[in-house]
Amino acid sequence: MTKILRIATLSLAAIVPAPLLAATITNLDEVEYTLVIAEGSSQSQVTIGAGQSIEICSQGCFLTLPNGDREVLTGPEQFEIREGRVKFL
Amino acid sequence: MMLSIRFLTRVLLLLLLLLGGQVLAQEPVADDAASTKATGLQVNAEQRTEIAAIAKRTDLLKAQLELNATDDAVLVEIRTQLEEINRKLLASGVSFRPRLETLNARLDEIGDPAEDEPASLADERQNLTAEKTDINTLLGEAEALSLRVNGMIEEIARTRRDLFANTLSRRYDISAAVNQDVWRDLRAESAKVASAVGSWVSFVLNYKLSSVLIATGLALLAAITLAVGSRRVFGRLFVAEPGELAPSYLGRLSVTFWSTLIPTAALCVFLALTWFFYDYFGILRRDIEQLMVALFNVIAVVFFVFRLASAFFSPNLPAWRLLPMRTPAAHTLFWLVFLTALVTAADFFGNSVNEVMRSPLSLTVAKSFFATILVGILVIVIARVRPYEDDEGNPKAWHPLLRIVLYLLGGGTLVAALLGYIGLARFIAQQIVITGAILTTMYVGYLSASAISEIGAFSRSRLGKKLGARFKLDEASEDQIGLILSMVINILVLAIGVPLIFLQWGFRWGDISSWTYNFANEIKIGSFSFSLIGIVTGILVFLIGYFGTKAFQRWLDGKVMARGRVDAGVRNSVSTAVGYAGVALAGLIGLSAAGIDLSNLALVAGALSLGIGFGLQNIVNNFVSGLILLAERPFKVGDWIVAGGFEGNVRKISVRATEIETFQRQTVIMPNSTFINAAVGNWTHRNRLGRVDIPVLAHYTNDAREVHSVLMEIVSAHPQTLKNPAPSVTFDGFTDAALNFTIKAFVADIASTSSFKNELRFQIVERFKAEGIKI
C-alpha cells in the first residue's frame, strides 16, 4: 500500500509544478489602488485593497498605476506596490 | 530501510529538479548597469523610432487585412505577424524596466523638494522626472499600439469564423456544375497542370540539375535510413508475426499502435526533409511548392489511415485482429475505409490544384460533388457491413449506436452534397476521415489502458517483467504499477487526442491552452470556487506531510528513543502522539494549500453541529480519554489490568479504544472512557510483585495451631515464595463446621502464578492426608 502511495506522490509531483502563468501583485500600502490593465484588446480596472495580493495578466499586459507610472508584465512575476511605486521581486 | 532512504533521496532530487526548472523558467532579473542620463534619452529615442516603425507595419497589415478578408491562409499569415508585433511591443516595454527601477530608486534617494536644497539636486530631480515621463509616454504609445494589434487579431478570428460558417452554409448550383462544360474544363485544367509541371521540370533540368540531384539524393538517403532504421530498431515492436497463433491482447494492441505510429512518423519525417531540401536548394517554384505541400499532406494522411486500418482489421492475419471479426468482413472494411480516405484526400488535393491553377468554380464544385457523394455512399456501405458473428455463426451487424452514427454521417454527406451544400459536405467528409482516425487511435489507446489494468497483465508483459527484475518487485506491486500505468495512458490519450481534434477543427493552440488553464485553475459553481490544480497541490502536500511524519516517527522511535533506552510504553505513547500530530498538521496544511474556502461550509456546519455534537459526544470523550491515557500512562502495553468487569493483558492502546486480551484469549475492545471515568486495577503497574491469597478450610475438629504450622511450612518451603515480604498464614475465623485460614504469599511475577497456586494446593492436600488433618 505504501509503495503505491509513493508512486502516486511522485506522479503528482511531476504534474503539479504546472505553468502557473499569472503575475502576482501585492499591495504593501495602507490605501487601496485602482490599476488600469490593458490586456488583449481591452482595458479594465482592477482594485487592489490594502495588504491584498491578487493575480493578474496571464498573457502579458500593460499596467498603469494611479500616479501615472506604467509597467509591462509578461508571465509569472511577482511584484509589490510600496508608496505607490512598483517594485519587482 | 536502505531502499527507502535511497528512494527518498531520489524523490527529493526529482522535486528539486522540478522546482529548479520552474525557477529558471522565470524571467531573470535584469542586471542594470548605471547608465547616464544621456544614454537614457538615447535609448528612449531609439525605442521611439522602433515603435513608430511598428505602428507603420501595423497600418500596412491593416490594409492587407481589409484586402484579403476572404482568404483564410493570408489571414493566418497576417495573424502570425501581428502576434509577433505584440511580442515585440511587450519585450520593448519590459526593456525599460531596469531603467525605471534605477530612476525610481534615485528619485526616492533624492526625496521630496525642500526649501534649502542645492540647485544641482533640484536639476537632477527635474531631469530624472523628465526622463521618467518620457518613458511613460513611450509605454503609453506601446500600450495603445498593443491594444490596436490585439483588436486586429480578434477581428481576424471573427472574420475566419465567419468565413468558415459561410463555407459551410453556402449553397452552390449543382446543375450548373454537372454538365458538358465540366469535361471541357477538366481537360483544360489537366493540360494546364501538365504544362505547369512540365515547364518546371524543364526549368529544373536546365538550370538546377545539380541542386535537384543533390536534394533528391539526400531525400532518398533519408528515406532509406528511416525505413531500414525503423525496422531494425523498432521492428520487434510492430511486426505482427504470422506464425503466432494466439497473441495476447496487449501484444495485439501494442502491434496495432506501433505499426501505425512508427512507419507514419518515418514517412512524415521523410516528406518534411524532402520539402526542406528542395526549398533549401531553391528548386521549388511557388505554385509547384503549393502543389507539393498539398500532395505531401495527402500522402501522409492516407498512409496513416492505411496503416491504422491494416493493423486494426488485420485482414490477412486473423489472429492479430483487435476485435473478433469475420475475415471477409475484415477485408471489406479495410478496403472501404482505405477508399474513403483516398477519395477524400484526392478531393483535398484536387482543390489545391484548382486553387493554384485558378480553375473555374464549376470544376471545383463538380469535383467535390462527385467526391462527397462517393464518400457518403462508402460510409453507408460501411454501416451496412456485418462484421461480427452471433452465436449461430450468422453475420451480425455493428452495435446499433455505431450504425446510427455511420448512417447519419454518410447520409448527411450525401444529402448535403445533393442539395448543393458542397462546403458542408466536404467538411463532413474530411472530418469523417481525420477525426475518425484520431478517435480510432484514442480508442486503441483506451483499450491498451484497460488491458494493462487487468490482473496480472502487466506482470506478464515484457516491460513488466523487465521492471520487476530490475526493481525486485513482487506481483502485487507490479499489479499496482500496471493500474497506475493504465491511468496514465488514459490521461495521455485524452490529453493528446482531444486537443488534436480541436486543433484540426480550426481552434488555435492558444485558445486550447488558455481554456485548460482556466479550467484547471478555477471552477466556479455559484459562489463556491475551487481549483483542480489547488486540490492536486493540496493532496500532494498532504501526502508529503504524511510520509514525512511516518519517517520522523520511525527515526524518533528507532534512533533516538531506542538508543536512549526509553521504556517501551513511553516509546509507544510518544510515537503515536507524534503520528497524530503530524497527520493532523499535514491535513491542515494540505487543506489550506488546496485553497478551498471553508467559510461557506461553516454556515452549514454550524447548523449541523448541534446534532453532530450530541452524536459524537461519546466518541470525543473516548478520543480525549485516549490522549490522557497516552500522557498519563496508568497502564502500558503488556500489563495485566482489571477494568469494566474484564480482566486481561493490554495488547494495544488506540485513539478510541484499548484492546485487552483475556486469559481465554478473547480480545475485549474497551472504549477509553471506561479507564478514565472508572477505577482501573493494574497488577503490573510499578512492578510485577504481587500477593497470592489461597483460602484453606480445615475441619473444626482439627488442631488449629497444627494446621497453621503445616500451612506455614508448605508456603515457606516453596521456592517461588519471596522471603521479603515474608509469607503469612492468617487464621481468619471459624464456624461450627470449619476453620478458615488464608495463605498469603508474595511472588515475584504475579502474572504467572497458576503453577505456584496449583503446587501449593497439591502440597496442602498431600500434607493434610499425611498428617491426618481433615478438611
Side-chain angles (χ1 to χ4, degrees):
Chain A
M1 176 61 189
T2 41
K3 259 209 180 99
I4 196 173
L5 270 181
R6 282 183 197 175
I7 297 177
T9 317
L10 255 186
S11 357
L12 279 180
I15 301 174
V16 162
L20 302 165
L21 299 166
T24 319
I25 166 172
T26 316
N27 182 0
L28 292 179
D29 287 339
E30 302 294 324
V31 294
E32 71 169 27
Y33 292 113
T34 310
L35 310 169
V36 179
I37 299 183
E39 189 177 0
S41 64
S42 59
Q43 278 181 332
S44 59
Q45 292 196 339
V46 168
T47 335
I48 176 169
Q52 221 190 340
S53 190
I54 55 172
E55 278 189 10
I56 48 173
C57 268
S58 46
Q59 316 139 340
C61 61
F62 290 79
L63 181 69
T64 313
L65 292 165
N67 64 357
D69 281 353
R70 287 180 189 269
E71 289 293 340
V72 175
L73 305 175
T74 51
E77 300 160 317
Q78 294 185 335
F79 59 101
E80 3 175 89
I81 302 184
R82 198 192 302 237
E83 287 156 23
R85 289 224 236 277
V86 157
K87 187 162 165 48
F88 284 91
L89 292 174
Chain B
M1 196 60 188
M2 278 277 292
L3 180 63
S4 57
I5 290 204
R6 271 214 312 241
F7 191 84
L8 270 176
T9 328
R10 279 189 199 148
V11 170
L12 271 173
L13 268 175
L14 193 64
L15 281 175
L16 276 173
L17 274 172
L18 288 164
L19 286 172
Q22 207 192 357
V23 164
L24 284 174
Q26 289 182 357
E27 275 212 4
V29 175
D31 203 1
D32 64 323
S35 44
T36 65
K37 177 198 76 169
T39 14
L41 283 179
Q42 237 177 355
V43 166
N44 288 1
E46 281 169 14
Q47 289 291 339
R48 179 164 286 118
T49 37
E50 183 159 330
I51 290 186
I54 291 180
K56 257 221 201 97
R57 212 172 131 202
T58 312
D59 289 331
L60 270 172
L61 285 174
K62 175 87 179 158
Q64 265 190 348
L65 178 58
E66 275 155 19
L67 207 57
N68 286 298
T70 53
D71 192 338
D72 195 63
V74 174
L75 285 177
V76 171
E77 248 187 68
I78 298 179
R79 186 193 73 204
T80 321
Q81 291 191 28
L82 285 173
E83 282 170 349
E84 194 203 319
I85 289 180
N86 195 30
R87 276 194 292 272
K88 269 214 195 121
L89 284 172
L90 285 172
S92 85
V94 169
S95 69
F96 281 114
R97 206 185 284 169
R99 183 71 192 138
L100 271 178
E101 273 186 26
T102 328
L103 285 174
N104 277 334
R106 185 74 190 119
L107 277 171
D108 284 337
E109 269 175 27
I110 298 181
D112 291 326
E115 288 294 320
D116 52 346
E117 62 177 10
S120 60
L121 212 58
D123 272 342
E124 192 180 351
R125 183 185 303 110
Q126 215 177 351
N127 289 331
L128 289 176
T129 323
E131 193 183 338
K132 198 166 149 197
T133 322
D134 209 25
I135 295 181
N136 277 339
T137 325
L138 269 177
L139 284 177
E141 283 176 26
E143 176 180 329
L145 204 50
S146 168
L147 285 172
R148 199 173 148 215
V149 163
N150 281 325
M152 281 167 70
I153 292 180
E154 283 177 14
E155 191 188 326
I156 289 182
R158 273 196 303 275
T159 315
R160 286 185 74 210
R161 273 201 296 272
D162 289 339
L163 268 181
F164 182 64
N166 280 342
T167 322
L168 286 190
S169 62
R170 189 168 157 196
R171 191 172 177 181
Y172 294 86
D173 191 3
I174 301 295
S175 56
V178 186
N179 59 29
Q180 303 289 51
D181 295 340
V182 165
W183 284 114
R184 188 196 60 205
D185 291 333
L186 184 60
R187 274 201 300 265
E189 185 190 83
S190 323
K192 261 208 260 181
V193 169
S195 80
V197 172
S199 72
W200 174 72
V201 167
S202 63
F203 160 75
V204 152
L205 284 178
N206 286 332
Y207 298 105
K208 297 234 175 200
L209 185 59
S210 52
S211 312
V212 88
L213 282 178
I214 297 176
T216 318
L218 283 173
L220 276 178
L221 187 65
I224 295 174
T225 321
L226 283 169
V228 172
S230 64
R231 210 134 260 251
R232 278 308 232 9
V233 173
F234 298 110
R236 229 173 16 154
L237 271 180
F238 69 83
V239 172
E241 317 248 344
E244 177 79 46
L245 286 174
S248 71
Y249 195 46
L250 210 55
R252 283 180 273 160
L253 282 168
S254 127
V255 160
T256 308
F257 182 71
W258 293 116
S259 77
T260 312
L261 186 67
I262 295 180
T264 313
L267 180 73
C268 286
V269 169
F270 163 64
L271 292 173
L273 281 177
T274 311
W275 175 82
F276 174 73
F277 286 135
Y278 272 51
D279 192 44
Y280 182 71
F281 285 99
I283 305 173
L284 294 173
R285 208 169 58 191
R286 182 159 171 79
D287 52 350
I288 299 291
E289 180 187 352
Q290 281 179 309
L291 286 178
M292 198 166 96
V293 167
L295 185 65
F296 283 0
N297 278 331
V298 151
I299 289 178
V301 169
V302 169
F303 185 70
F304 176 64
V305 173
F306 169 70
R307 288 233 57 104
L308 186 61
S310 61
F312 196 86
F313 297 119
S314 192
N316 297 321
L317 296 170
W320 285 91
R321 248 167 247 160
L322 277 185
L323 303 169
M325 276 185 203
R326 298 165 44 233
T327 305
H331 275 282
T332 321
L333 280 173
F334 169 69
W335 282 111
L336 284 173
V337 166
F338 180 58
L339 263 169
T340 314
L342 201 58
V343 168
T344 313
D347 177 49
F348 178 80
F349 180 62
N351 245 51
S352 307
V353 168
N354 288 341
E355 263 179 43
V356 169
M357 297 290 138
R358 303 195 203 290
S359 318
L361 186 62
S362 56
L363 190 59
T364 317
V365 167
K367 176 188 68 14
S368 296
F369 179 69
F370 287 115
T372 47
I373 288 185
L374 196 55
V375 166
I377 294 176
L378 281 170
V379 171
I380 292 182
V381 172
I382 290 180
R384 291 189 64 82
V385 167
R386 287 186 286 185
Y388 302 123
E389 243 171 42
D390 63 8
D391 300 320
E392 285 109 44
N394 296 327
K396 200 172 83 148
W398 295 104
H399 188 270
L401 191 61
L402 185 58
R403 249 190 309 162
I404 291 178
V405 167
L406 285 172
Y407 274 130
L408 275 176
L409 285 174
T413 318
L414 207 51
V415 165
L418 287 171
L419 285 179
Y421 294 100
I422 302 289
L424 182 60
R426 282 190 75 223
F427 177 72
I428 298 179
Q430 280 169 4
Q431 286 312 316
I432 291 176
V433 171
I434 297 189
T435 308
I438 297 179
L439 281 177
T440 314
T441 319
M442 282 170 70
Y443 182 60
V444 168
Y446 164 73
L447 284 178
S448 319
S450 318
I452 289 186
S453 68
E454 295 279 321
I455 297 181
F458 183 65
S459 30
R460 281 198 297 268
S461 74
R462 250 179 312 190
L463 182 65
K465 288 202 188 105
K466 264 196 258 184
L467 278 180
R470 173 124 202 288
F471 291 107
K472 304 212 192 342
L473 300 166
D474 61 342
E475 236 191 78
S477 312
E478 281 187 5
D479 235 5
Q480 287 169 344
I481 294 186
L483 269 172
I484 293 185
L485 206 58
S486 84
M487 199 171 59
V488 166
I489 291 181
N490 273 332
I491 293 180
L492 269 179
V493 158
L494 279 176
I496 298 181
V498 171
L500 254 180
I501 294 182
F502 278 130
L503 273 176
Q504 60 96 27
W505 271 65
F507 292 101
R508 284 165 51 199
W509 183 243
D511 290 334
I512 298 178
S513 62
S514 70
W515 285 343
T516 9
Y517 174 65
N518 284 335
F519 180 70
N521 228 28
E522 190 177 341
I523 302 178
K524 244 180 153 56
I525 306 179
S527 70
F528 179 66
S529 81
F530 63 96
S531 109
L532 280 177
I533 290 199
I535 290 183
V536 169
T537 318
I539 295 178
L540 180 67
V541 166
F542 173 70
L543 283 175
I544 292 179
Y546 178 75
F547 286 128
T549 311
K550 284 263 175 294
F552 181 66
Q553 254 183 313
R554 266 202 306 262
W555 172 77
L556 201 64
D557 201 37
K559 297 272 161 85
V560 175
M561 291 203 281
R563 293 213 187 135
R565 304 235 188 287
V566 180
D567 174 52
V570 178
R571 276 168 66 175
N572 184 31
S573 301
V574 172
S575 265
T576 325
V578 163
Y580 291 152
V583 170
L585 195 64
L588 279 174
I589 299 182
L591 258 183
S592 88
I596 297 182
D597 187 17
L598 294 174
S599 57
N600 286 332
L601 295 177
L603 287 170
V604 181
L608 290 176
S609 62
L610 193 60
I612 293 179
F614 272 119
L616 288 181
Q617 214 179 49
N618 283 328
I619 310 268
V620 175
N621 189 7
N622 287 329
F623 177 69
V624 175
S625 308
L627 291 177
I628 297 178
L629 282 180
L630 279 178
E632 185 199 325
R633 288 182 354 265
F635 51 83
K636 47 192 186 300
V637 171
D639 279 355
W640 168 10
I641 63 172
V642 180
F646 293 94
E647 188 175 348
N649 292 308
V650 178
R651 287 288 168 244
K652 186 172 164 196
I653 306 175
S654 299
V655 63
R656 181 198 78 85
T658 299
E659 285 177 26
I660 304 174
E661 194 183 70
T662 64
F663 301 118
Q664 292 173 302
R665 293 283 192 265
Q666 177 196 49
T667 304
V668 178
I669 300 155
M670 301 206 62
N672 288 333
S673 51
T674 29
F675 300 115
I676 301 295
N677 296 331
V680 174
N682 189 348
W683 284 99
T684 50
H685 187 49
R686 285 181 217 289
N687 50 33
R688 298 191 79 81
L689 190 108
R691 195 183 79 181
V692 175
D693 290 350
I694 301 180
V696 179
L697 289 167
H699 199 261
Y700 185 71
T701 47
N702 294 316
D703 182 10
R705 286 190 203 275
E706 198 190 333
V707 174
H708 185 269
S709 61
V710 163
L711 290 176
M712 266 311 286
E713 253 181 74
I714 295 175
V715 78
S716 312
H718 198 287
Q720 267 182 292
T721 319
L722 292 179
K723 301 276 186 282
N724 183 17
S728 62
V729 177
T730 53
F731 184 21
D732 296 322
F734 48 87
T735 64
D736 58 354
L739 304 169
N740 300 331
F741 293 93
T742 309
I743 301 180
K744 298 178 179 163
F746 287 90
V747 288
D749 187 357
I750 192 67
S752 50
T753 51
S754 52
S755 63
F756 176 74
K757 285 197 267 196
N758 281 352
E759 187 56 36
L760 275 183
R761 287 197 176 107
F762 284 141
Q763 285 186 3
I764 291 171
V765 166
E766 280 156 13
R767 278 298 290 274
F768 277 16
K769 276 219 187 89
E771 307 281 332
I773 299 174
K774 288 209 282 281
I775 298 176

